[in-house]
Amino acid sequence: MSCKRTRVAALKSQASGVGTSPSVDTIPTLRNSALHRGYTDLSQNCNVWTGYGDSGYRATRRREAHEQRPDFVENAASRSPGIVDAFLQILNLAGALGVFLFGMKIMSEGLQKVAGAKLQSLLGKITSNRFTGVLTGFVVTTIVQSSSATTVMVVGFVNARLLSLRQAIGVIMGANIGTTVTGWLVALLGFKVKIAAFALPAVGAGMALTFMKGARAKQVGEALIGFGLLFLGLSLMKDSVPGLDESGLAWVQSLTSLGFVSVLAFVGIGTALTVILQSSSATMSLTLALTASGFIPYTFAAAMVLGENIGTTATANIAAIGTSTAAKRAARAHLIFNIFGVAWALAIFTPVLLPIVDSLVPGNPALAINDGGDAGVVTAHLAAFHTLFNITNTAVMLPFVNRLADIVERLVPAASAQPRGVTKFISTAHVQTPELLLVQAAKEMEHMTSHVQRMFGDALRILTNPEEELGDLVAETLAREQMVDDLEHEITAVLSMTARAAGSAKASRQIGAMVLNTHRLERMADHCEKLVHIAARNHSAGADFTLEPDAIADIASLGELVSRSLDNLGRYLVNEGDAAVAEQIEEEIDAERKAMRDRYLARMNSTDIGVVPGMWLLDIASHLESVGDGAIGIIRRMEETHQL
């Protein structure tokens, strides 16, 4: 810069005298004299070429203008790398969270496949004892490591009428306690142990198991891979949390300086994050990582934990969309239970709840990490806070399960009757866990069988009462056949989806058997439809073509045997029927149908009965037998599946 001033001063001295500035009129003179000759001595001293003629003058002016740039241009340039770094940090944190969520999903699905049958048995043993329900919810959630998965199961089982509303509430309470186990695993292992020491080996061992032949080994391998990815994602989250500079610290302080309003704000943040991530365990782990790095103060991290308990109810309420009224009530009970808990917890948040946690867990969680605080102390306090809150909330609300059920029954009134023929129990929520979905499919089979039973009873009544005006019953029976067709389509569609996720040969066989038996039920409904059409023709035919009373009596006798077969099938589907009884009834049906056929063929040959009524009678007997064959076929297929 000193060379610059020396050069300009020399130019001014030659052109217009020392101490005066050149006017506009003297610029051409300056250009033609000083710049034309150049100052090689100044150029050499300053190591800058001043140039010759107009080009040298323009170059000098450009350099001067560059040196006089406003400061904000340089500041903007210096700030741009910081913005890029912040954006990259956000992307890194989002990627780490994605690895964590993916690992949790794989682990939860793997554990559900491994323990699917046991979960089904465990949930099936729940009684009206609310304490048993709480214990069951805790155990199931501990096994699958996801309270959302447990509550979705509960909603599905209530929808399938395997659980009552009051039983479901107890399970949901236990699930809230069970989800705290994940927080303790993350707090004790994720921040006190070098996670990579066992995360990557777990992924490697799990991958090796997936190449083995046994289905159970593959399922365990999936769970191990998910477990390793979960903790690997947690490690990445810890490393991706940005450090606190003065500006970041000021931002956090501005958000935490509003007293109780700040507490409510962090409750809202925890709720929103959990709704977005659809996992309270993931949000809890993210909260632990942010708190362990000193990004969020302990008090407000605890407020986020309360919000996460509200946000986790979104999953069950979403799963309840399109389900029965009872399932919607179970989901609303989960929401009300958690909102009530957060309300009383906020009322005693600072004066009671936090001091109790501090007295139970050693260390000072309020000491900032930057001031020498221990990350393990903070995370242990948060895990203890989460556990204390959920256990206390369950203890407070458990005596009022019936009252809570009454409240949700008023909030969610009974809906008008749903159109029959649409699936009532099965849903796609458990497509990835075939063992649990098969429970719902079995209930749907019972539902479909009841339609076929009703159709057959109405068809038999129409057949045996040709003189009655039963037009409305005919229309209803034919409409019911379309309902059965819709049921077959919907059940088969869901079973086809879950067949891809079947992790065991037994589950695959059961799915195949259900698809085949669903088709059998639909074919039985088709035979009932044909019987109604024959009855309609008989009703509208002339006197020469109607069935005689003795023929109608024979139809009623064979129809009674088929009705017994359908009743036994209905009992068999609920584990009350007997396969041996079904075989005996089938033999009686075959014998009766053969006797009718021989008898009426002989009468047709002797012209004792008209050809057209005789053909109708034989056609009716064939359709009746086909319905009985379908019933025994379903039972035989299920027996074979159980024996394999």
Side-chain angles (χ1 to χ4, degrees):
M1 192 69 185
S2 61
C3 295
K4 187 71 156 179
R5 287 195 294 268
T6 303
R7 187 170 65 251
V8 173
L11 292 173
K12 290 180 179 180
S13 176
Q14 284 288 332
S16 56
V18 179
T20 62
S21 300
S23 63
V24 175
D25 296 335
T26 63
I27 289 178
T29 304
L30 183 148
R31 293 169 57 188
N32 294 329
S33 60
L35 288 178
H36 180 72
R37 292 191 305 269
Y39 280 86
T40 56
D41 55 339
L42 291 175
S43 301
Q44 293 170 355
N45 293 335
C46 299
N47 198 25
V48 176
W49 178 73
T50 58
Y52 294 87
D54 291 346
S55 61
Y57 175 74
R58 286 194 297 270
T60 303
R61 297 290 294 178
R62 284 196 298 270
R63 285 193 296 270
E64 291 175 353
H66 177 75
E67 292 173 356
Q68 296 173 4
R69 286 186 311 169
D71 291 339
F72 74 86
V73 177
E74 296 181 358
N75 292 339
S78 64
R79 283 198 303 267
S80 58
I83 297 174
V84 173
D85 289 342
F87 182 69
L88 290 176
Q89 285 180 336
I90 293 173
L91 289 181
N92 287 336
L93 185 59
L97 186 60
V99 173
F100 182 90
L101 285 171
F102 183 63
M104 176 167 288
K105 178 178 181 294
I106 294 177
M107 183 183 70
S108 180
E109 290 177 357
L111 290 172
Q112 288 181 58
K113 291 177 182 178
V114 172
K118 294 180 180 179
L119 293 178
Q120 172 183 333
S121 175
L122 185 60
L123 288 170
K125 293 179 180 178
I126 298 175
T127 64
S128 58
N129 187 332
R130 62 192 68 178
F131 297 99
T132 305
V134 172
L135 180 61
T136 301
F138 172 78
V139 172
V140 172
T141 305
T142 302
I143 293 173
V144 302
Q145 284 296 292
S146 173
S147 63
S148 297
T150 303
T151 52
V152 169
M153 287 182 211
V154 169
V155 170
F157 283 9
V158 172
N159 188 51
R161 299 178 186 175
L162 296 173
L163 291 177
S164 68
L165 176 60
R166 285 158 178 79
Q167 290 172 333
I169 292 174
V171 178
I172 289 171
M173 290 179 174
N176 276 19
I177 299 175
T179 194
T180 63
V181 174
T182 305
W184 279 110
L185 286 174
V186 173
L188 297 178
L189 297 179
F191 297 94
K192 293 187 177 182
V193 179
K194 189 176 181 180
I195 303 175
F198 57 85
L200 292 178
V203 174
M207 184 61 66
L209 287 174
T210 58
F211 288 106
M212 298 182 68
K213 293 184 178 180
R216 179 55 58 91
K218 292 181 179 180
Q219 295 165 358
V220 174
E222 289 181 14
L224 276 176
I225 291 173
F227 179 81
L229 289 177
L230 184 148
F231 280 97
L232 182 61
L234 178 63
S235 178
L236 294 173
M237 274 197 292
K238 287 169 53 182
D239 297 336
S240 302
V241 174
L244 277 182
D245 54 13
E246 293 184 0
S247 59
L249 186 60
W251 179 82
V252 174
Q253 288 177 345
S254 66
L255 193 60
T256 60
S257 60
L258 303 176
F260 190 69
V261 175
S262 296
V263 174
L264 294 178
F266 276 90
V267 170
I269 292 172
T271 301
L273 282 175
T274 308
V275 171
I276 293 171
L277 299 179
Q278 289 290 292
S279 172
S280 61
S281 296
T283 313
M284 178 69 180
S285 300
L286 180 61
T287 304
L288 290 171
L290 292 172
T291 308
S293 65
F295 203 88
I296 300 177
Y298 162 68
T299 300
F300 299 101
M304 282 185 66
V305 171
L306 293 178
E308 291 157 13
N309 280 269
I310 298 177
T312 192
T313 63
T315 305
N317 281 273
I318 292 172
I321 296 175
T323 57
S324 64
T325 300
K328 289 184 176 69
R329 287 171 175 171
R332 299 300 185 278
H334 189 202
L335 176 63
I336 293 173
F337 171 68
N338 282 15
I339 288 179
F340 172 80
V342 171
W344 68 254
L346 287 174
I348 61 172
F349 184 65
T350 304
V352 178
L353 207 53
L354 292 180
I356 292 177
V357 175
D358 293 341
S359 65
L360 294 174
V361 182
N364 182 11
L367 185 62
I369 304 301
N370 297 332
D371 296 332
D374 185 1
V377 171
V378 178
T379 55
H381 274 72
L382 280 178
F385 174 82
H386 192 200
T387 304
L388 177 65
F389 164 72
N390 281 293
I391 291 178
T392 306
N393 194 32
T394 298
V396 170
M397 290 294 293
L398 192 58
F400 303 101
V401 167
N402 292 332
R403 182 62 59 87
L404 178 58
D406 293 339
I407 292 174
V408 295
E409 286 172 353
R410 287 196 295 269
L411 291 176
V412 186
S416 57
Q418 297 179 346
R420 289 174 295 180
V422 180
T423 53
K424 297 170 60 177
F425 309 111
I426 200 169
S427 69
T428 58
H430 297 144
V431 165
Q432 296 301 322
T433 52
E435 291 80 2
L436 297 175
L437 185 135
L438 285 171
V439 178
Q440 295 179 328
K443 291 292 293 184
E444 209 65 69
M445 287 279 293
E446 296 174 30
H447 175 216
M448 191 174 180
T449 302
S450 68
H451 277 291
V452 175
Q453 287 177 305
R454 178 72 180 273
M455 278 190 71
F456 182 79
D458 291 342
L460 194 61
R461 179 186 173 189
I462 295 169
L463 275 171
T464 55
N465 295 277
E467 297 179 356
E468 293 186 24
E469 293 295 334
L470 300 174
D472 292 341
L473 186 60
V474 170
E476 180 182 347
T477 305
L478 296 178
R480 195 181 296 276
E481 196 278 333
Q482 182 59 49
M483 298 174 189
V484 173
D485 287 347
D486 294 340
L487 274 170
E488 184 207 14
H489 176 75
E490 295 177 16
I491 295 172
T492 302
V494 177
L495 288 174
S496 298
M497 285 189 289
T498 197
R500 303 186 189 100
S504 65
K506 180 180 179 182
S508 298
R509 288 193 297 268
Q510 289 178 323
I511 292 171
M514 281 195 171
V515 171
L516 180 60
N517 287 340
T518 301
H519 179 66
R520 281 198 176 103
L521 285 171
E522 191 276 331
R523 293 295 300 155
M524 291 161 66
D526 288 343
H527 289 298
C528 293
E529 180 188 26
K530 296 293 179 57
L531 290 172
V532 172
H533 285 308
I534 294 172
R537 288 200 305 267
N538 180 50
H539 181 74
S540 60
D544 294 336
F545 297 99
T546 56
L547 296 176
E548 297 179 355
D550 58 343
I552 293 176
D554 289 337
I555 292 171
S557 176
L558 181 58
E560 177 62 26
L561 290 174
V562 177
S563 294
R564 285 174 52 197
S565 179
L566 288 175
D567 290 341
N568 185 68
L569 172 63
R571 292 193 301 272
Y572 182 86
L573 292 176
V574 294
N575 299 319
E576 296 178 2
D578 190 346
V581 172
E583 294 290 350
Q584 181 181 352
I585 297 174
E586 175 64 14
E587 291 177 1
E588 295 179 17
I589 292 174
D590 290 342
E592 180 70 17
R593 192 257 183 184
K594 184 178 183 303
M596 284 182 60
R597 181 178 179 279
D598 294 342
R599 184 164 58 252
Y600 281 95
L601 282 176
R603 292 183 62 183
M604 289 172 64
N605 291 331
S606 63
T607 67
D608 188 31
I609 185 174
V611 174
V612 173
M615 293 300 296
W616 284 358
L617 188 62
L618 294 177
D619 200 12
I620 290 171
S622 177
H623 287 300
L624 290 173
E625 184 186 28
S626 295
V627 174
D629 289 343
I632 188 62
I634 291 173
I635 293 177
R636 286 171 178 169
R637 182 68 177 183
M638 295 181 70
E639 285 289 310
E640 292 174 2
T641 304
H642 293 327
Q643 291 173 3
L644 292 176

